[in-house]
Amino acid sequence: VTAPSVDQLGALADLFEEALQFSRPESVIVLGVAGGNGLERVDPQITSRIDGVDLHPEYLAACQDRYGHLPSLRLHQ
């Protein structure tokens, strides 16, 4: 658990966005996708497939709730 002032999730999402902008991938896989932090940074005009993997079904359910509108999102346990 981190303190809210650390803003770890924001920093991770920023790094993910930076990597996406640099590599401009057609597809991306996120290992340990949890609740989908950073998926809002994916540009669907560039990245046409997103795979998210997590061990925890409750995290995958949260990710589906938040980002299920992304047609290219596929979640795997």
Side-chain angles (χ1 to χ4, degrees):
V1 178
T2 59
S5 62
V6 173
D7 191 27
Q8 177 180 345
L9 295 179
L12 290 172
D14 290 345
L15 288 170
F16 185 51
E17 180 178 26
E18 209 173 291
L20 289 169
Q21 289 176 349
F22 177 78
S23 61
R24 301 177 56 83
E26 289 182 25
S27 63
V28 66
I29 186 166
V30 181
L31 303 176
V33 72
N37 180 52
L39 292 182
E40 70 278 358
R41 311 289 181 98
V42 175
D43 182 345
Q45 300 297 319
I46 297 169
T47 305
S48 60
R49 180 172 176 156
I50 307 164
D51 286 279
V53 179
D54 207 290
L55 294 174
H56 303 285
E58 62 274 10
Y59 291 170
L60 294 171
C63 186
Q64 180 65 40
D65 288 345
R66 292 181 187 132
Y67 298 103
H69 64 279
L70 296 172
S72 61
L73 180 63
R74 293 167 182 86
L75 298 173
H76 313 274
Q77 183 180 7

